Amino acid sequence: MHRFELARASSLAEARALLAERPGAVFKAGGIDLIDHMKEHLLEPPRVVDLKSVPGLADVAARGDGGLTIGPLVTLARVASHQVVAKAYGALAAACHDAASPQIRNVATIGGNVLQRPRCPYYRLESYKCVKKGGDVCFAVGGENRYHVIFGGGPVYAPHPSNAAVALVALGAAFVLDGPKGARTVPAGEFFTLPSRSPQRENVLENGEILTEIRLPPAGGWRSAYAAIKERAAFDWPLVSLAVSVKLEAGVVNDARVVLGAVAPIPWRSTRAEQALRGKGLGSETIESAARAATVGATPLSDNGYKVPLLQTLVRRTLTSLA
Amino acid sequence: MAEQSETPKPSVKAKGGLPSAPETMEVQLAPGDLPPWDLDSRLQVVKGRTPRLDGPAKVTGRARYAFDVKVQGMLWAKMVRATVPAGEVVRIDTSKAEALAGVKAVWTADVRTVRFTGQDLAAVAASSPEIAEDAAKLVEVVYEERSFVTDLERAMEVGAPLVYRPEEMPGPATVPRSGNVVGPQAPRRGGGRGDVEKGFTEAEVVVEGTYRVAVHTHSPLETHGVVAKWDGDDLTVWASTQGTFTVREGLAEALGIDRTRITVLTEHMGGGFGSKLAPSAVGSAFAVVACKLAKKAGAPVHLFLDRREEHLCTGNAPSALMTVRLGARRDGTLVAMHHRSFGSAGIAGGAGTGGPIAAMYTGCPSLKVEEHDVFTNAGPAAPLRAPGHPQGAFALESAMDELAEKLGMDPLELRRKNESHPVRRVQYDAGAKAMGWERRNKKAGDAPGPRKRGIGMANGNWYVIARDRGVGAEVRIHRDGSIEVFSGAQDIGTGFRTAMAMVAAEELGVSPADVVMRIGDTRYPEGPGSGGSNTTNSVAPAVRLAAHDARLKLLGLAAPLLKAEVGDLDAASGRIFVRGRPGTAVTLRQAAARMPGEEIRCPAERKAQYATYRGDLAGTQFAEVEVDVETGEVRIVKIVSVNDCGFAVNALTAESQVIGAMIQGASWALFENRILDGNFGTMLNPNLESYKILASKDMFEAVPILTEVANLGNNTSVAGLGEPPIVPTLAAIANAVYNASGARVRSLPMTPDRVLAALADARRRA
């Protein structure tokens, strides 16, 4: 195994300095995804800068505007069981609870979950130099693609792995990124980037930047839900997932966010499905049209066409649960 | 302990078969053997429920597995494996690895032709596992790559890349071969009778279906490996194996040394399921390599495979492509059966799946079985829990269900009509009752949706396989009354250790906890490899003989103390007493104290199976599932597994084995799938994250039922249980999915995409 030094930072500034000192150094939160990368030699950092020792990154706090701030180092288990999250941001609690296994949820952090790299086997195996790793080919095309994307593919066809991210986009969250040039706030919906823009990355986080806060807007009037379909009931990656939040007034959908997971290289907002809902009650006809709208424009690969009807079912069921 | 004649007769009458339908049989004993335990035997310990003697050590982490062994000065080894699926090795350059500080020895393979990704090429031994891994990465291999094929059906095509040149192809030259395909062959245990084409012309109803099963890897929790240590010319090997003596023989042959120089130790082992029957593994010579590295380095070597290697080169259950055709009369009587199968055991043979159809429904007058092995550039298969039978039963029993549907007949009635042995009848009744068979949908798919429930059933079969030559056991009674039982065989996880203690305890009138078990050590009496469900039934009769001998000797020591004849004495609860006068007694300890020396040694040899034994084992299973017809998700609600295993020495661990088989079978049916990339020949899920095995949230209500049958095959009436309970599981689940949803899923695993496709197909037909 590759040798590295573990550096414990006591502040964000120190963390950034420790990173900058050693080219190739990386930050570590829970370490779940990082250790996987190191074991497979996808990353061989000379230094790992542990953020766990930085105070204030693992707090959940109410915000003055009625929203909520979740620190990036809060574990998935804690997010899932947090009373305010469970009550006001149901989609997020459900998405975190649905991830991985209890053992992993006790260690994995929400920041790490959102920033984890794709689970595509071609990316994860050292022997394939795929587009994600700077090569020329996405091996899923013409190879195994049962678990790959039906939206937004090219030149990479690996789905985004984070389902917490799907919920956060649906909830209108924002990410605070703290970097050498200062802090900036990026809406979750603009944080993730398509491979056509940057094939080797999945988001706008710059080297040296740290995700320091996840901000949730006030939930007043909104209701949300998350659901997924998986092969195995636990410890599995969804075939399709979905987070929806709707603002209902007098039974009419005032606003809606419909975000599809495991089907695109980013959490995929279905503006068509949202349009089908706006200004309507959550009756069966509206739900049906939203379900069909959600898969318009899908371009399945050779072996993942089954995701289309699965998504429609998931949209139908999830909206029905919110009605 | 039953009152039995203390001096065996060559021929005795015994009451065998089912308790509800006992048969008195004349049993011919081998010289020196005991009359069998039968339905009249009043057993005190055997057939009871004894918790595993090694349970506390295992759950507290005190149990030492081979992987855990650390010896002074030990080095760590790592194998270098082929990264291409086919080609010639031009050069293996180990110079950079050898130059790395901490590297103590290097080995390179003689074989130059690569036929699968993961084949052994080289190995290094170093002072730490990290250095070994680094060194392995420094070994440079240059290949001349060749075209390859990994997919079963593509390998069958004309013009497919050849895995072997014709003259290199393994297997008997008498079997027809063409391209990568070898066959047709009859199953190992025979098969074929009557004129099947004539049978089909006489049939009033015919069904035909083609069924597919993906490759399943054994995936034991403890990976394959050994620790090898030389002391001069003597070699000690701690092995994670299901055949201590197989490892010893394999190493003796490969290293060219006498077996007397080799000791193989397996105190505890973390699973094998058939993959650890080879001296090393079917696709790797790692144990031999470890011994060679240890010799070269002059230091002990720890060589255990990682999870990826475990998937690649230690065996798997072959894929299968099976077409089954059944013909019956309107009343359900089978008149013709035809099984034609292709399967890939990778670079090996042995992918046959005709076992179940050859052994079941024997009243059917015509049968044709044609098996074909198809070579692919993939790791070789190894026996996996009833080799070929879960796949074959999936095809046969799915087809039986399709036949029942076409006949408009209850699927259970169709089985009753064609497989009506008394043991089967008892099993049908017990299973149907425990499942509530009457709750099934009378019309498939007729349950309220979208999460539809349904119930299915399937039959399975296995064989009584016993090694009855060259198996021994020894019982030692010490002067202080303590008892040791020795068998060199290993406990693969079935509870063998506890079962043998129970057999000895039964004879000696003590509790199993009073018996110290010494197993998994080739310095002890020879035992079998744990394959074919044969360990308990091979060794238990020898343990009983040894313990019986010890019992007689103890009674002999007690007789003068009690002023009675040996023939009037009995032993129970650690005491020896005059039969009918329990107050006239001495403790076993008091009797043992009278022995002239320090210990009494009673070795015994396993005697031949009795001529009366029935060679078949019957099993039937009922499954209840819930199918989400909108998402294709299948959830198993309940499985009832009914099994004949002769006498179950320990009902507790026997049921545990049945439950384990249900889980493994359910996992096979729903999840497990080795995915090979057809473009590069690489396994894409060589881990336990994306190679999916059933986990706790998918667990179902598991109901094991043991059908008591006095087998009268040997002096304990024990038969076997490791394999039979996995045979019907795949089919029972598939049939339940059909009953729930009306969708016939003919490809395993039944993932949502396949279930949705089958549902769409069913809708098109409706």
Side-chain angles (χ1 to χ4, degrees):
Chain A
M1 188 171 165
H2 174 77
R3 280 151 197 77
F4 62 92
E5 63 176 36
L6 183 69
R8 291 198 169 81
S10 56
S11 69
L12 289 174
E14 191 191 357
R16 272 196 302 272
L18 286 166
L19 190 88
E21 250 171 41
R22 296 290 296 271
V26 295
F27 291 129
K28 171 190 160 297
I32 303 287
D33 198 29
L34 176 63
I35 302 298
D36 276 357
H37 277 79
M38 290 167 68
K39 278 159 79 174
E40 185 62 23
H41 303 276
L42 300 177
L43 280 177
E44 297 193 326
R47 174 183 282 177
V48 172
V49 180
D50 197 352
L51 298 175
K52 277 188 172 171
S53 43
V54 176
L57 294 181
D59 298 332
V60 181
R63 293 172 52 77
D65 64 358
L68 194 71
T69 294
I70 300 175
L73 267 72
V74 178
T75 63
L76 293 179
R78 239 183 100 208
V79 177
S81 61
H82 193 276
Q83 282 189 354
V84 177
V85 177
K87 191 156 172 276
Y89 307 100
L92 181 62
C96 290
H97 182 73
D98 197 46
S101 67
Q103 292 92 329
I104 292 175
R105 291 197 296 273
N106 284 335
V107 177
T109 65
I110 187 162
N113 183 278
V114 164
L115 297 176
Q116 70 185 305
R117 309 297 311 276
R119 307 302 308 192
C120 171
Y122 296 107
Y123 169 67
R124 292 280 162 169
L125 292 170
E126 189 185 8
S127 57
Y128 289 92
K129 186 138 170 78
C130 70
V131 182
K132 199 51 90 194
K133 290 182 283 198
D136 304 321
V137 184
C138 177
F139 297 97
V141 180
E144 291 291 329
N145 55 47
R146 225 155 54 83
Y147 301 123
H148 287 72
V149 305
I150 58 174
F151 294 107
V156 173
Y157 293 83
H160 198 277
S162 170
N163 292 288
V166 173
L168 289 168
V169 173
L171 291 167
F175 298 143
V176 179
L177 313 177
D178 196 304
K181 288 175 253 166
R184 57 180 176 137
T185 303
V186 180
E190 294 165 25
F191 180 72
F192 301 99
T193 53
L194 281 171
S196 52
R197 183 171 138 195
S198 50
Q200 291 181 54
R201 39 199 291 200
E202 296 82 47
N203 54 56
V204 300
L205 192 77
E206 296 290 339
N207 191 31
E209 274 190 319
I210 300 170
L211 168 61
T212 56
E213 277 182 47
I214 295 170
R215 290 184 180 166
L216 290 165
W222 288 83
R223 266 197 270 170
S224 70
Y226 167 87
I229 295 170
K230 297 186 285 193
E231 290 183 348
R232 204 160 49 166
F235 197 23
D236 203 359
W237 303 91
L239 300 170
V240 297
S241 71
L242 171 75
V244 177
S245 64
V246 289
K247 193 169 191 185
L248 284 166
E249 260 170 55
V252 173
V253 176
N254 233 339
D255 200 357
R257 290 190 210 96
V258 177
V259 187
L260 317 179
V263 293
I266 59 172
W268 188 257
R269 243 182 113 162
S270 175
T271 47
R272 279 200 176 86
E274 291 171 5
Q275 275 161 20
L277 295 175
R278 280 203 191 91
K280 310 236 174 66
L282 281 178
S284 57
E285 245 172 72
T286 307
I287 288 175
E288 191 53 41
S289 67
R292 264 186 262 124
T295 58
V296 171
T299 52
L301 299 165
S302 58
D303 296 322
N304 66 1
Y306 71 95
K307 287 191 173 193
V308 172
L310 279 192
L311 255 189
Q312 292 185 354
T313 296
L314 202 55
V315 172
R316 210 176 285 126
R317 286 187 181 178
T318 310
L319 288 174
T320 305
S321 78
L322 285 170
Chain B
M1 199 22 236
E3 312 149 28
Q4 276 162 349
S5 150
E6 304 292 355
T7 42
K9 292 180 213 139
S11 168
V12 293
K13 280 195 163 43
K15 201 181 274 185
L18 291 155
S20 58
E23 300 166 64
T24 300
M25 283 190 249
E26 188 82 11
V27 175
Q28 298 294 324
L29 303 179
D33 206 352
L34 293 164
W37 287 330
D38 68 0
L39 292 172
D40 286 338
S41 299
R42 283 177 291 149
L43 301 169
Q44 305 296 317
V45 181
V46 165
K47 297 205 286 178
R49 305 175 74 84
T50 301
R52 288 173 196 265
L53 299 176
D54 50 11
K58 285 187 170 174
V59 298
T60 55
R62 274 187 290 116
R64 195 169 69 148
Y65 292 75
F67 188 95
D68 303 324
V69 169
K70 287 193 179 71
V71 291
Q72 187 75 38
M74 188 175 84
L75 304 174
W76 303 79
K78 182 82 189 163
M79 301 283 292
V80 177
R81 303 196 169 280
T83 55
V84 302
E88 293 296 316
V89 174
V90 177
R91 187 164 49 87
I92 301 177
D93 183 350
T94 60
S95 56
K96 283 182 188 157
E98 283 172 89
L100 189 69
V103 172
K104 306 293 186 192
V106 171
W107 168 88
T108 51
D110 294 330
V111 180
R112 283 294 182 262
T113 302
V114 170
R115 289 201 170 85
F116 71 96
T117 302
Q119 195 171 315
D120 292 351
L121 289 184
V124 295
S127 51
S128 78
E130 291 80 12
I131 295 173
E133 199 196 320
D134 287 348
K137 284 181 85 75
L138 290 173
V139 174
E140 290 171 358
V141 182
V142 179
Y143 306 91
E144 193 176 295
E145 292 188 46
R146 267 213 302 269
S147 57
F148 65 92
V149 62
T150 54
D151 179 72
L152 166 65
E153 292 176 49
R154 280 179 55 193
M156 290 161 58
E157 289 168 7
V158 175
L162 292 180
V163 177
Y164 291 100
R165 283 188 286 270
E167 68 277 13
E168 300 164 333
M169 228 181 219
T174 49
V175 180
R177 49 195 60 208
S178 154
N180 292 309
V181 181
V182 181
Q185 290 168 274
R188 258 176 72 197
R189 284 160 204 281
R193 56 183 175 265
D195 181 341
V196 80
E197 290 315 320
K198 187 165 162 277
F200 279 109
T201 60
E202 287 164 10
E204 290 163 321
V205 178
V206 174
V207 293
E208 179 175 331
T210 295
Y211 307 87
R212 289 172 171 83
V213 182
V215 171
H216 167 129
T217 67
H218 298 69
S219 298
L221 273 185
E222 184 185 31
T223 59
H224 282 67
V226 294
V227 175
K229 176 174 179 277
W230 291 90
D231 295 291
D233 292 333
D234 288 332
L235 174 65
T236 304
V237 175
W238 290 265
S240 179
T241 182
Q242 55 194 91
T244 46
F245 294 94
T246 320
V247 174
R248 188 181 68 171
E249 293 320 294
L251 290 178
E253 198 185 318
L255 300 169
I257 59 175
D258 291 343
R259 57 156 85 170
T260 44
R261 292 292 186 183
I262 305 174
T263 302
V264 177
L265 302 169
T266 304
E267 197 190 351
H268 298 285
M269 63 96 65
F273 309 112
S275 68
K276 291 178 182 167
L277 282 166
S280 294
V282 285
S284 175
F286 67 84
V288 178
V289 172
C291 295
K292 288 183 174 172
L293 287 171
K295 188 93 186 174
K296 213 165 166 183
V301 164
H302 181 283
L303 200 173
F304 269 76
L305 306 191
D306 64 22
R307 184 55 62 185
R308 183 194 319 242
E309 296 174 282
E310 189 68 24
H311 282 294
L312 292 181
C313 65
T314 68
N316 53 69
S319 58
L321 167 67
M322 303 167 283
T323 299
V324 171
R325 195 159 48 121
L326 302 176
R329 299 196 193 284
R330 286 244 171 268
D331 68 356
T333 307
L334 285 167
V335 294
M337 303 193 289
H338 184 195
H339 173 107
R340 182 174 158 83
S341 67
F342 297 85
S344 184
I347 61 162
T353 52
I357 204 167
M360 296 202 289
Y361 311 119
T362 49
C364 176
S366 73
L367 166 72
K368 189 173 185 184
V369 185
E370 300 169 282
E371 298 179 337
H372 302 77
D373 280 330
V374 182
F375 293 111
T376 53
N377 292 104
L384 193 156
R385 213 170 191 170
H389 284 61
Q391 299 99 314
F394 166 62
L396 170 62
E397 291 296 286
S398 293
M400 283 293 280
D401 219 54
E402 300 197 40
L403 178 62
E405 176 76 32
K406 201 160 177 183
L407 289 164
M409 200 170 170
D410 175 339
L412 181 54
E413 285 311 310
L414 180 63
R415 265 71 167 207
R416 283 186 194 275
K417 184 145 200 112
N418 291 287
E419 186 70 64
S420 59
H421 187 279
V423 173
R424 293 267 180 198
R425 291 205 300 267
V426 165
Q427 295 187 332
Y428 294 141
D429 292 343
K433 187 172 172 220
M435 175 52 82
W437 176 245
E438 70 289 347
R439 295 184 297 123
R440 79 195 184 284
N441 302 308
K442 300 302 173 285
K443 186 174 179 306
D446 230 6
R451 294 189 177 92
K452 298 187 171 194
R453 286 210 176 184
I455 294 173
M457 60 84 56
N459 278 340
N461 77 295
W462 191 245
Y463 320 92
V464 177
I465 299 172
R467 182 167 155 198
D468 58 1
R469 300 272 189 290
V471 169
E474 184 171 326
V475 172
R476 287 185 203 165
I477 312 291
H478 293 260
R479 193 191 220 347
D480 65 355
S482 58
I483 302 163
E484 280 178 301
V485 173
F486 295 82
S487 162
Q490 59 295 320
D491 190 339
I492 186 179
T494 56
F496 168 73
R497 174 183 267 115
T498 308
M500 294 309 107
M502 290 171 75
V503 170
E506 182 75 49
E507 280 292 340
L508 294 167
V510 298
S511 140
D514 297 331
V515 177
V516 173
M517 289 302 305
R518 308 281 183 206
I519 64 165
D521 185 330
T522 52
R523 291 169 297 189
Y524 304 155
E526 177 102 8
S530 296
S533 305
N534 83 342
T535 317
T536 298
N537 70 356
S538 296
V539 185
V543 170
R544 186 179 169 216
L545 273 172
H548 188 79
D549 186 16
R551 168 196 168 89
L552 291 182
K553 293 193 163 112
L554 279 170
L555 299 189
L557 292 170
L561 293 172
L562 296 168
K563 299 186 175 52
E565 295 298 313
V566 167
D568 295 328
L569 299 182
D570 203 349
S573 308
R575 290 151 57 87
I576 296 166
F577 57 92
V578 179
R579 198 171 289 127
R581 285 192 286 139
T584 309
V586 291
T587 63
L588 187 150
R589 216 169 258 272
Q590 287 168 325
R594 305 263 310 165
M595 71 177 64
E598 289 305 313
E599 59 183 17
I600 300 172
R601 293 185 175 204
C602 302
E605 285 285 311
R606 170 69 150 90
K607 306 296 181 193
Q609 284 285 94
Y610 303 158
T612 44
Y613 89 94
R614 202 166 62 80
D616 300 309
L617 290 173
T620 195
Q621 288 184 28
F622 291 73
E624 181 177 13
V625 303
E626 188 177 88
V627 180
D628 188 325
V629 295
E630 293 175 357
T631 66
E633 291 165 294
V634 175
R635 189 170 70 86
I636 299 170
V637 178
K638 179 178 178 176
I639 298 180
V640 175
S641 176
V642 195
N643 304 277
D644 158 17
C645 63
F647 278 0
V649 177
N650 187 358
L652 186 67
T653 48
E655 287 177 3
S656 189
Q657 274 209 69
V658 174
I659 293 169
M662 283 186 235
I663 296 171
Q664 198 168 23
S667 186
W668 198 340
L670 296 188
F671 306 118
E672 295 191 44
N673 187 7
R674 181 194 68 184
I675 301 171
L676 293 184
D677 180 11
N679 297 321
F680 295 90
T682 312
M683 182 172 174
L684 293 180
N685 54 347
N687 49 51
L688 292 182
E689 175 202 344
S690 45
Y691 181 85
K692 298 175 189 179
I693 296 176
L694 186 142
S696 53
K697 230 175 159 180
D698 288 292
M699 193 51 200
F700 45 87
E701 183 187 352
V703 182
I705 297 175
L706 303 175
T707 321
E708 187 182 59
V709 178
N711 185 277
L712 303 189
N714 57 61
N715 68 33
T716 60
S717 278
V718 172
L721 188 62
E723 276 142 314
I726 200 173
V727 176
T729 314
L730 285 55
I733 293 168
N735 292 341
V737 166
Y738 177 74
N739 185 253
S741 66
R744 176 63 62 187
V745 187
R746 296 189 184 87
S747 273
L748 302 183
M750 287 182 268
T751 45
D753 51 340
R754 287 180 172 154
V755 175
L756 287 178
L759 280 159
D761 187 53
R763 273 194 298 272
R764 268 196 303 276
R765 282 161 199 277

